[in-house]
Amino acid sequence: MGFFDKIKAGLTKTKENIQNSLNGIFATFRKVDEEFLDELLELLLLSDVGFETAESIIDELRNKAKLDKIEDANVLKTVLRDIIAEKMTGGNELNINTSPSVIVVVGVNGVGKTTTIGKLANNLKNEGKKVIIAAADTFRAAAIEQIEIWAQRADIEIVKHQDGSDPAAVVYDAVQAAKARNADVVICDTAGRLHNKKGLMDELSKITRVVSKELPDADKEILLVLDATTGQNAIVQAKDFKEATNITGVVLTKLDGTAKGGVTIAVRDVTGVPIKLIGVGEKIDDLQPFSPTAFASALLDMEDK
């Protein structure tokens, strides 16, 4: 299955949630009036785009339709797709061009953080990169064992300490191992405690200080993992984490398990943080680089341009 087909399949539940109504609206389209736009707004809200983002999409569609005198349903649908894609465009690629680069993965428990790390490590390995995982979630019971299972599955080297160890010390050792063994990427797991706990944020600050001191010129990503099935709560988490730490990108997991995939648009629009990766299935290769146009096309059941 190709890249676009995976995204399309992963958004099946979201499409099913809005598809019949969407097709109906465009099938009976005569002109861009307020009744038509209100129906479209309601559909966007049904897919959890969020009111603020949905309203801005509708406003832009209204203005473009008026400016370009659009009277054709297919042209209008293409304009809608381009507006949605544009809202999510910018900074979507991982910035890991130095050797080594460092990716710190954050997020609350239960969002799929460990799975994301395992899949990401596997993807990077398949691209020919040498990866080391730092098992720096030393707080949650069995966290080290779980990340170790993924590392073994992907045949990736892992650096770990005992439960309760200093997470920054684990990251330090992983960075030293990366230097010694000419690794390309260090992926750091972190504790998934609640985002409003000061201790967690202090811990993340300590980890990033270690990385900056030991690898001052390295490319660094701080990726926030969010569970798409939580809908608007994912936006709340994204806002809170952005306030607390300098996240550089978002990974949205479990898109295949929700009818609310529109939250992807809202997360990007509301926080300004780019979507870097999306999870569209349970298999090890189901973590995909994020393409705004492919996502918007799949959401509206159009062919990718």
mmCIF file of all heavy atoms in Angstrom, residues 236-268:
data_model
loop_
_atom_site.group_PDB
_atom_site.id
_atom_site.type_symbol
_atom_site.label_atom_id
_atom_site.label_comp_id
_atom_site.label_asym_id
_atom_site.label_seq_id
_atom_site.Cartn_x
_atom_site.Cartn_y
_atom_site.Cartn_z
ATOM 1 N N VAL A 236 -6.011 20.758 23.870
ATOM 2 C CA VAL A 236 -5.687 21.261 25.214
ATOM 3 C C VAL A 236 -4.288 20.808 25.617
ATOM 4 O O VAL A 236 -3.481 21.601 26.120
ATOM 5 C CB VAL A 236 -6.725 20.767 26.244
ATOM 6 C CG1 VAL A 236 -6.320 21.163 27.653
ATOM 7 C CG2 VAL A 236 -8.108 21.314 25.910
ATOM 8 N N GLN A 237 -3.985 19.523 25.396
ATOM 9 C CA GLN A 237 -2.659 19.001 25.725
ATOM 10 C C GLN A 237 -1.569 19.723 24.924
ATOM 11 O O GLN A 237 -0.508 20.066 25.463
ATOM 12 C CB GLN A 237 -2.593 17.500 25.449
ATOM 13 C CG GLN A 237 -3.364 16.650 26.436
ATOM 14 C CD GLN A 237 -3.270 15.172 26.098
ATOM 15 O OE1 GLN A 237 -2.327 14.727 25.457
ATOM 16 N NE2 GLN A 237 -4.268 14.412 26.516
ATOM 17 N N ALA A 238 -1.847 19.935 23.638
ATOM 18 C CA ALA A 238 -0.858 20.599 22.777
ATOM 19 C C ALA A 238 -0.571 22.017 23.276
ATOM 20 O O ALA A 238 0.589 22.453 23.329
ATOM 21 C CB ALA A 238 -1.355 20.634 21.338
ATOM 22 N N LYS A 239 -1.609 22.736 23.658
ATOM 23 C CA LYS A 239 -1.426 24.093 24.186
ATOM 24 C C LYS A 239 -0.588 24.071 25.459
ATOM 25 O O LYS A 239 0.327 24.877 25.642
ATOM 26 C CB LYS A 239 -2.789 24.735 24.479
ATOM 27 C CG LYS A 239 -3.560 25.191 23.245
ATOM 28 C CD LYS A 239 -4.882 25.802 23.685
ATOM 29 C CE LYS A 239 -5.657 26.382 22.519
ATOM 30 N NZ LYS A 239 -6.971 26.928 22.972
ATOM 31 N N ASP A 240 -0.927 23.136 26.368
ATOM 32 C CA ASP A 240 -0.235 23.069 27.658
ATOM 33 C C ASP A 240 1.240 22.712 27.484
ATOM 34 O O ASP A 240 2.112 23.307 28.118
ATOM 35 C CB ASP A 240 -0.916 22.050 28.576
ATOM 36 C CG ASP A 240 -2.270 22.542 29.085
ATOM 37 O OD1 ASP A 240 -2.498 23.761 29.010
ATOM 38 O OD2 ASP A 240 -3.077 21.720 29.551
ATOM 39 N N PHE A 241 1.516 21.737 26.628
ATOM 40 C CA PHE A 241 2.907 21.339 26.410
ATOM 41 C C PHE A 241 3.688 22.445 25.716
ATOM 42 O O PHE A 241 4.866 22.656 26.002
ATOM 43 C CB PHE A 241 2.979 20.043 25.605
ATOM 44 C CG PHE A 241 3.045 18.804 26.455
ATOM 45 C CD1 PHE A 241 1.898 18.110 26.779
ATOM 46 C CD2 PHE A 241 4.260 18.334 26.937
ATOM 47 C CE1 PHE A 241 1.949 16.964 27.573
ATOM 48 C CE2 PHE A 241 4.328 17.201 27.721
ATOM 49 C CZ PHE A 241 3.164 16.514 28.047
ATOM 50 N N LYS A 242 3.031 23.159 24.814
ATOM 51 C CA LYS A 242 3.720 24.253 24.121
ATOM 52 C C LYS A 242 4.112 25.356 25.103
ATOM 53 O O LYS A 242 5.181 25.955 24.988
ATOM 54 C CB LYS A 242 2.832 24.827 23.013
ATOM 55 C CG LYS A 242 3.562 25.866 22.157
ATOM 56 C CD LYS A 242 2.655 26.488 21.127
ATOM 57 C CE LYS A 242 3.420 27.559 20.348
ATOM 58 N NZ LYS A 242 2.541 28.305 19.434
ATOM 59 N N GLU A 243 3.246 25.605 26.088
ATOM 60 C CA GLU A 243 3.552 26.615 27.101
ATOM 61 C C GLU A 243 4.700 26.171 28.011
ATOM 62 O O GLU A 243 5.488 26.990 28.485
ATOM 63 C CB GLU A 243 2.307 26.895 27.955
ATOM 64 C CG GLU A 243 1.226 27.691 27.240
ATOM 65 C CD GLU A 243 -0.029 27.843 28.081
ATOM 66 O OE1 GLU A 243 0.017 27.470 29.278
ATOM 67 O OE2 GLU A 243 -1.039 28.331 27.553
ATOM 68 N N ALA A 244 4.775 24.858 28.247
ATOM 69 C CA ALA A 244 5.723 24.342 29.232
ATOM 70 C C ALA A 244 7.091 24.004 28.655
ATOM 71 O O ALA A 244 8.099 24.089 29.348
ATOM 72 C CB ALA A 244 5.145 23.104 29.907
ATOM 73 N N THR A 245 7.127 23.617 27.376
ATOM 74 C CA THR A 245 8.410 23.230 26.784
ATOM 75 C C THR A 245 8.401 23.566 25.298
ATOM 76 O O THR A 245 7.342 23.719 24.691
ATOM 77 C CB THR A 245 8.685 21.721 26.999
ATOM 78 O OG1 THR A 245 10.018 21.426 26.625
ATOM 79 C CG2 THR A 245 7.725 20.849 26.222
ATOM 80 N N ASN A 246 9.564 23.652 24.721
ATOM 81 C CA ASN A 246 9.687 24.127 23.345
ATOM 82 C C ASN A 246 9.490 22.991 22.341
ATOM 83 O O ASN A 246 10.429 22.548 21.679
ATOM 84 C CB ASN A 246 11.072 24.770 23.151
ATOM 85 C CG ASN A 246 11.227 25.393 21.776
ATOM 86 O OD1 ASN A 246 10.242 25.860 21.192
ATOM 87 N ND2 ASN A 246 12.428 25.387 21.255
ATOM 88 N N ILE A 247 8.239 22.522 22.215
ATOM 89 C CA ILE A 247 7.985 21.437 21.259
ATOM 90 C C ILE A 247 8.154 21.952 19.833
ATOM 91 O O ILE A 247 7.778 23.070 19.506
ATOM 92 C CB ILE A 247 6.587 20.798 21.447
ATOM 93 C CG1 ILE A 247 5.466 21.847 21.390
ATOM 94 C CG2 ILE A 247 6.511 20.026 22.749
ATOM 95 C CD1 ILE A 247 4.071 21.240 21.429
ATOM 96 N N THR A 248 8.751 21.101 18.999
ATOM 97 C CA THR A 248 9.025 21.495 17.612
ATOM 98 C C THR A 248 8.096 20.809 16.622
ATOM 99 O O THR A 248 8.066 21.169 15.446
ATOM 100 C CB THR A 248 10.473 21.143 17.234
ATOM 101 O OG1 THR A 248 10.677 19.726 17.407
ATOM 102 C CG2 THR A 248 11.457 21.906 18.109
ATOM 103 N N GLY A 249 7.350 19.797 17.085
ATOM 104 C CA GLY A 249 6.468 19.082 16.176
ATOM 105 C C GLY A 249 5.508 18.192 16.931
ATOM 106 O O GLY A 249 5.690 17.908 18.118
ATOM 107 N N VAL A 250 4.481 17.754 16.218
ATOM 108 C CA VAL A 250 3.438 16.893 16.794
ATOM 109 C C VAL A 250 3.358 15.589 16.019
ATOM 110 O O VAL A 250 3.500 15.569 14.788
ATOM 111 C CB VAL A 250 2.065 17.610 16.763
ATOM 112 C CG1 VAL A 250 0.920 16.644 17.046
ATOM 113 C CG2 VAL A 250 2.043 18.762 17.757
ATOM 114 N N VAL A 251 3.154 14.502 16.768
ATOM 115 C CA VAL A 251 2.840 13.205 16.176
ATOM 116 C C VAL A 251 1.415 12.865 16.603
ATOM 117 O O VAL A 251 1.121 12.823 17.802
ATOM 118 C CB VAL A 251 3.788 12.095 16.673
ATOM 119 C CG1 VAL A 251 3.455 10.768 15.990
ATOM 120 C CG2 VAL A 251 5.239 12.469 16.443
ATOM 121 N N LEU A 252 0.521 12.667 15.646
ATOM 122 C CA LEU A 252 -0.859 12.283 15.961
ATOM 123 C C LEU A 252 -1.027 10.789 15.739
ATOM 124 O O LEU A 252 -0.838 10.298 14.620
ATOM 125 C CB LEU A 252 -1.849 13.060 15.099
ATOM 126 C CG LEU A 252 -2.379 14.350 15.731
ATOM 127 C CD1 LEU A 252 -3.062 15.210 14.689
ATOM 128 C CD2 LEU A 252 -3.351 14.053 16.868
ATOM 129 N N THR A 253 -1.370 10.067 16.805
ATOM 130 C CA THR A 253 -1.523 8.620 16.723
ATOM 131 C C THR A 253 -3.002 8.236 16.660
ATOM 132 O O THR A 253 -3.878 9.057 16.937
ATOM 133 C CB THR A 253 -0.888 7.927 17.942
ATOM 134 O OG1 THR A 253 -1.609 8.323 19.127
ATOM 135 C CG2 THR A 253 0.577 8.311 18.088
ATOM 136 N N LYS A 254 -3.252 6.996 16.285
ATOM 137 C CA LYS A 254 -4.586 6.372 16.331
ATOM 138 C C LYS A 254 -5.611 7.076 15.441
ATOM 139 O O LYS A 254 -6.807 7.072 15.730
ATOM 140 C CB LYS A 254 -5.093 6.290 17.776
ATOM 141 C CG LYS A 254 -4.080 5.644 18.736
ATOM 142 C CD LYS A 254 -4.597 5.602 20.159
ATOM 143 C CE LYS A 254 -3.501 5.180 21.133
ATOM 144 N NZ LYS A 254 -3.949 5.168 22.534
ATOM 145 N N LEU A 255 -5.139 7.690 14.347
ATOM 146 C CA LEU A 255 -6.077 8.331 13.419
ATOM 147 C C LEU A 255 -7.013 7.312 12.787
ATOM 148 O O LEU A 255 -8.140 7.639 12.398
ATOM 149 C CB LEU A 255 -5.313 9.085 12.323
ATOM 150 C CG LEU A 255 -4.941 10.529 12.649
ATOM 151 C CD1 LEU A 255 -3.952 11.073 11.638
ATOM 152 C CD2 LEU A 255 -6.181 11.409 12.708
ATOM 153 N N ASP A 256 -6.545 6.060 12.669
ATOM 154 C CA ASP A 256 -7.385 5.018 12.087
ATOM 155 C C ASP A 256 -8.500 4.596 13.035
ATOM 156 O O ASP A 256 -9.446 3.942 12.614
ATOM 157 C CB ASP A 256 -6.532 3.789 11.738
ATOM 158 C CG ASP A 256 -5.777 3.262 12.938
ATOM 159 O OD1 ASP A 256 -5.124 4.070 13.628
ATOM 160 O OD2 ASP A 256 -5.821 2.044 13.195
ATOM 161 N N GLY A 257 -8.418 5.005 14.309
ATOM 162 C CA GLY A 257 -9.413 4.564 15.285
ATOM 163 C C GLY A 257 -10.421 5.617 15.662
ATOM 164 O O GLY A 257 -11.163 5.467 16.631
ATOM 165 N N THR A 258 -10.468 6.726 14.906
ATOM 166 C CA THR A 258 -11.362 7.815 15.284
ATOM 167 C C THR A 258 -12.150 8.343 14.089
ATOM 168 O O THR A 258 -11.674 8.316 12.955
ATOM 169 C CB THR A 258 -10.574 8.981 15.925
ATOM 170 O OG1 THR A 258 -11.483 10.016 16.285
ATOM 171 C CG2 THR A 258 -9.530 9.553 14.969
ATOM 172 N N ALA A 259 -13.349 8.834 14.379
ATOM 173 C CA ALA A 259 -14.142 9.536 13.370
ATOM 174 C C ALA A 259 -13.891 11.035 13.448
ATOM 175 O O ALA A 259 -14.542 11.817 12.774
ATOM 176 C CB ALA A 259 -15.627 9.246 13.575
ATOM 177 N N LYS A 260 -12.952 11.428 14.291
ATOM 178 C CA LYS A 260 -12.686 12.841 14.570
ATOM 179 C C LYS A 260 -11.319 13.280 14.053
ATOM 180 O O LYS A 260 -10.608 14.061 14.703
ATOM 181 C CB LYS A 260 -12.761 13.081 16.088
ATOM 182 C CG LYS A 260 -14.053 12.612 16.749
ATOM 183 C CD LYS A 260 -15.217 13.505 16.391
ATOM 184 C CE LYS A 260 -16.440 13.172 17.240
ATOM 185 N NZ LYS A 260 -17.583 14.069 16.958
ATOM 186 N N GLY A 261 -10.918 12.781 12.891
ATOM 187 C CA GLY A 261 -9.589 13.082 12.356
ATOM 188 C C GLY A 261 -9.362 14.534 12.023
ATOM 189 O O GLY A 261 -8.223 14.961 11.829
ATOM 190 N N GLY A 262 -10.430 15.323 11.976
ATOM 191 C CA GLY A 262 -10.297 16.747 11.704
ATOM 192 C C GLY A 262 -9.525 17.488 12.780
ATOM 193 O O GLY A 262 -9.075 18.617 12.560
ATOM 194 N N VAL A 263 -9.351 16.849 13.945
ATOM 195 C CA VAL A 263 -8.585 17.485 15.020
ATOM 196 C C VAL A 263 -7.148 17.762 14.576
ATOM 197 O O VAL A 263 -6.495 18.672 15.096
ATOM 198 C CB VAL A 263 -8.606 16.596 16.289
ATOM 199 C CG1 VAL A 263 -7.758 15.339 16.109
ATOM 200 C CG2 VAL A 263 -8.130 17.379 17.510
ATOM 201 N N THR A 264 -6.675 17.011 13.581
ATOM 202 C CA THR A 264 -5.338 17.242 13.025
ATOM 203 C C THR A 264 -5.201 18.680 12.530
ATOM 204 O O THR A 264 -4.190 19.347 12.775
ATOM 205 C CB THR A 264 -5.074 16.274 11.851
ATOM 206 O OG1 THR A 264 -5.371 14.950 12.270
ATOM 207 C CG2 THR A 264 -3.634 16.348 11.377
ATOM 208 N N ILE A 265 -6.219 19.157 11.842
ATOM 209 C CA ILE A 265 -6.200 20.522 11.303
ATOM 210 C C ILE A 265 -6.185 21.535 12.444
ATOM 211 O O ILE A 265 -5.423 22.497 12.438
ATOM 212 C CB ILE A 265 -7.423 20.770 10.401
ATOM 213 C CG1 ILE A 265 -7.572 19.662 9.355
ATOM 214 C CG2 ILE A 265 -7.339 22.135 9.724
ATOM 215 C CD1 ILE A 265 -8.931 19.629 8.672
ATOM 216 N N ALA A 266 -7.024 21.271 13.450
ATOM 217 C CA ALA A 266 -7.148 22.205 14.566
ATOM 218 C C ALA A 266 -5.871 22.297 15.384
ATOM 219 O O ALA A 266 -5.476 23.391 15.805
ATOM 220 C CB ALA A 266 -8.321 21.788 15.455
ATOM 221 N N VAL A 267 -5.210 21.155 15.625
ATOM 222 C CA VAL A 267 -3.968 21.166 16.407
ATOM 223 C C VAL A 267 -2.940 22.084 15.754
ATOM 224 O O VAL A 267 -2.311 22.918 16.408
ATOM 225 C CB VAL A 267 -3.404 19.731 16.566
ATOM 226 C CG1 VAL A 267 -1.957 19.774 17.060
ATOM 227 C CG2 VAL A 267 -4.247 18.918 17.526
ATOM 228 N N ARG A 268 -2.782 21.956 14.456
ATOM 229 C CA ARG A 268 -1.817 22.784 13.723
ATOM 230 C C ARG A 268 -2.240 24.253 13.715
ATOM 231 O O ARG A 268 -1.432 25.151 13.946
ATOM 232 C CB ARG A 268 -1.681 22.274 12.288
ATOM 233 C CG ARG A 268 -0.790 23.137 11.387
ATOM 234 C CD ARG A 268 0.658 23.113 11.880
ATOM 235 N NE ARG A 268 1.582 23.695 10.927
ATOM 236 C CZ ARG A 268 1.958 24.974 10.910
ATOM 237 N NH1 ARG A 268 1.451 25.815 11.785
ATOM 238 N NH2 ARG A 268 2.818 25.415 10.018
#
